[in-house]
Amino acid sequence: MGDNTLVLGHRVSEWCGVAPVLEEDIALANTALDLIGQTTLWLNLAGEVEGAGRDADALAFRRDVKDFRNLLLVEQPNGDFGRTIMRQFLFDAWHQACLSALCESEHEGIAAIAEKSLKEVTYHLERASDTVIGLGDGSDESHARMQAALDRLWPYTGEMFTSDDVDQAMASAGIAPDPASLRPVFDERVTAVMTRATLTLPESDFAHKGGKTGKRHSEHLGHLLTQMQWLQRAYPDATW
C-alpha cells in the first residue's frame, strides 16, 4: 500500500507548475500530498513490523527497484493530462474498494490508517470520476484522448486482483481482503463512469504483472527513483 501511494504521489507531483490550468495544478498537488501523507503512515507501520530500524524515509529513499512492491499502473509515465486522469481514476476505484475492506482489518494499525485515508481517497475518486466523464463526453479531441488513455492503461488493472501466498495468508488471518474479492466493486464503479463518459472498455482481459511482487517492474520505475532518491543518495542522512 505504501509503495503504491509513494510512487503515484511522486508521479502526480510531476504536474506541479505545469498543469493545464491553475485549479488543476493545485488539485493535483493536493492529491500528491495526500498520497505522500498516506505513504508516511504505511511505511512507518511497515518499518515497525519489520523491526530492522528502518522508518518511512529509509524505506522510501534507500531501496532499489527490485525491493519495491507497487502496481505497475502507478509507475506508468504521466503522458498527456487525459492519461494522468485516467490512471488516477483507475487507481482510485481500486484504492477506495481496498481501503474500505481494510477498515475491517483485524490489525488495529492497518484499520486506523485505512479509515483515515479513506476520506481523502473518496474525494480523489469523486473528482477523478467527474473529470473522466467531462473529458470523455466532451469534445471529439478530448474523447479520443480519453479512449486512447483507457485502451493503454486497462491492461495494467488486472494486476490489482492477483494474489500470492502472502495475500492468501493475510486474507486467512483477517488482516487484508482477498484481492479478487475487490473486483466486483471495481468493475461496477468503472463501468458506471465509462458509460456516462461514452467510453468503451477494452474486451481483452490481458494483464501486465510483476510490479506487485517485485519480480518485474517497467523501465519507468528506475528513472522515477533516480529523480526521487538522488538527494538521499548524494547526501545520506542529510537534514535541514
Side-chain angles (χ1 to χ4, degrees):
M1 297 298 290
D3 283 353
N4 283 329
T5 52
L6 173 64
V7 174
L8 184 59
H10 184 84
R11 271 284 183 245
V12 177
S13 76
E14 293 173 351
W15 277 101
C16 187
V18 296
V21 294
L22 183 58
E23 184 177 355
E24 287 298 335
D25 202 297
I26 295 171
L28 288 169
N30 283 330
T31 299
L33 285 172
D34 287 345
L35 293 171
I36 296 301
Q38 293 166 23
T39 299
T40 302
L41 298 174
W42 286 122
L43 293 190
N44 273 331
L45 177 60
E48 291 175 13
V49 173
E50 181 187 47
R54 296 196 294 181
D55 60 10
D57 287 337
L59 290 170
F61 297 123
R62 299 179 186 175
R63 284 183 297 154
D64 292 326
V65 170
K66 61 181 176 57
D67 298 321
F68 274 74
R69 300 290 185 271
N70 58 270
L71 298 166
L72 291 174
L73 174 70
V74 300
E75 63 192 56
Q76 298 310 301
N78 289 331
D80 62 19
F81 182 71
R83 191 188 301 174
T84 291
I85 293 300
M86 183 61 73
R87 183 189 61 201
Q88 189 68 41
F89 167 71
L90 294 172
F91 178 77
D92 289 342
W94 169 82
H95 201 193
Q96 190 198 43
C98 188
L99 290 174
S100 297
L102 288 175
C103 286
E104 306 300 324
S105 174
E106 296 289 337
H107 189 289
E108 292 183 359
I110 290 176
I113 295 174
E115 185 174 357
K116 176 177 174 56
S117 303
L118 184 58
K119 298 176 182 176
E120 296 173 342
V121 172
T122 297
Y123 173 74
H124 295 171
L125 178 58
E126 290 177 358
R127 181 178 174 278
S129 298
D130 290 344
T131 309
V132 167
I133 292 169
L135 292 174
D137 193 26
S139 67
D140 291 343
E141 176 71 15
S142 68
H143 176 85
R145 286 177 181 251
M146 294 307 287
Q147 185 64 58
L150 177 60
D151 293 343
R152 180 182 179 85
L153 296 173
W154 185 250
Y156 291 98
T157 59
E159 186 182 25
M160 298 170 173
F161 311 104
T162 60
S163 65
D164 57 17
D165 292 342
V166 175
D167 289 306
Q168 294 305 314
M170 290 197 296
S172 298
I175 295 174
D178 182 336
S181 69
L182 305 176
R183 183 92 208 203
V185 176
F186 174 85
D187 283 344
E188 182 179 3
R189 179 79 193 204
V190 169
T191 299
V193 170
M194 294 308 157
T195 299
R196 293 183 61 192
T198 69
L199 298 173
T200 303
L201 283 170
E203 294 182 357
S204 173
D205 58 358
F206 171 77
H208 294 289
K209 302 173 185 175
K212 182 178 168 182
T213 60
K215 291 182 178 179
R216 184 174 58 206
H217 287 283
S218 69
E219 69 273 23
H220 307 299
L221 182 60
H223 294 287
L224 183 150
L225 294 183
T226 297
Q227 182 186 53
M228 189 179 74
Q229 296 178 334
W230 76 267
L231 184 63
Q232 277 291 330
R233 297 286 187 182
Y235 305 100
D237 300 322
T239 59
W240 61 87

